[in-house]
Amino acid sequence: MLQIRKATSADIDAMMSCYDSARAYMRASGNASQWTNGYPSRELVAKDISQGAAYVGLDDNGEIVMAFAFFIGADPTYAVIEGGRWLNDLPYGTIHRLASNGSQHGMLRQCVDFCMSMTGNIRLDTHADNSTMLHAVGRLGFTRCGTIYCADGTPRIAFQKTAQNRNCWR
């Protein structure tokens, strides 16, 4: 089990290493179009940290093996959803930019467990080519709710998990 804590500016290099590993894994597993052009940038990660939304997961040796951002509150990207609907309109948290260095399995599960302890209503999205994430969110009880669009206009498959999940495809 990882120890998860808020990230500090001293963690940026280790976080960027997790993002580099995740990008390499995506490319090796057929996901060539997500997280391109250096996304997430060092500046974006620093902004997440300054907003108190960046987190790291540490292994038993205290090494950072996971990084993610978790925002509680409305995400403007999720204001419009196509091809379905959200499970509810209650306040929620959003997981963004989850990555690991690849040394351990089950990072999403540990991230979700941590985030669910803060709010019982979580949303996230992923690229259609991210087969690993698509499989993992299904295993963890997320419901596919439709398609959202990133700020750059690219589509993402949107999911939601609540303390009492129910299907949003009616």
Side-chain angles (χ1 to χ4, degrees):
M1 199 69 170
L2 297 180
Q3 173 196 353
I4 298 176
R5 65 164 171 78
K6 285 204 180 221
T8 69
S9 57
D11 299 325
I12 290 180
D13 288 340
M15 294 172 75
M16 296 311 295
S17 180
C18 287
Y19 291 121
D20 290 342
S21 295
R23 273 190 295 278
Y25 176 82
M26 286 181 197
R27 301 307 170 260
S29 61
N31 183 358
S33 54
Q34 186 177 1
W35 287 13
T36 58
N37 301 318
Y39 180 89
S41 69
R42 191 174 189 89
E43 294 75 23
L44 181 57
V45 174
K47 181 179 177 186
D48 290 346
I49 291 169
S50 72
Q51 292 176 333
Y55 293 86
V56 293
L58 294 89
D59 67 11
D60 292 338
N61 299 317
E63 179 185 346
I64 293 174
V65 297
M66 175 177 69
F68 66 94
F70 185 61
F71 297 91
I72 296 177
D75 185 321
T77 307
Y78 291 6
V80 175
I81 187 165
E82 293 180 354
R85 64 186 182 103
W86 296 112
L87 297 177
N88 60 50
D89 292 324
L90 298 173
Y92 62 91
T94 306
I95 298 170
H96 285 297
R97 297 181 277 288
L98 172 64
S100 82
N101 69 2
S103 66
Q104 296 187 24
H105 297 286
M107 298 291 103
L108 179 61
R109 178 185 51 78
Q110 293 186 65
C111 173
V112 168
D113 288 348
F114 176 81
C115 294
M116 286 296 280
S117 74
M118 290 191 274
T119 178
N121 200 15
I122 297 175
R123 296 179 183 181
L124 60 80
D125 64 85
T126 193
H127 194 281
D129 291 339
N130 194 336
S131 59
T132 301
M133 182 67 100
L134 291 170
H135 179 71
V137 295
R139 274 194 343 261
L140 293 175
F142 279 83
T143 299
R144 182 177 175 158
C145 294
T147 302
I148 59 100
Y149 293 88
C150 297
D152 66 3
T154 58
R156 296 290 185 270
I157 301 170
F159 296 87
Q160 186 171 8
K161 180 179 176 79
T162 67
Q164 290 96 21
N165 237 4
R166 61 181 194 271
N167 196 332
C168 63
W169 296 98
R170 298 178 196 235

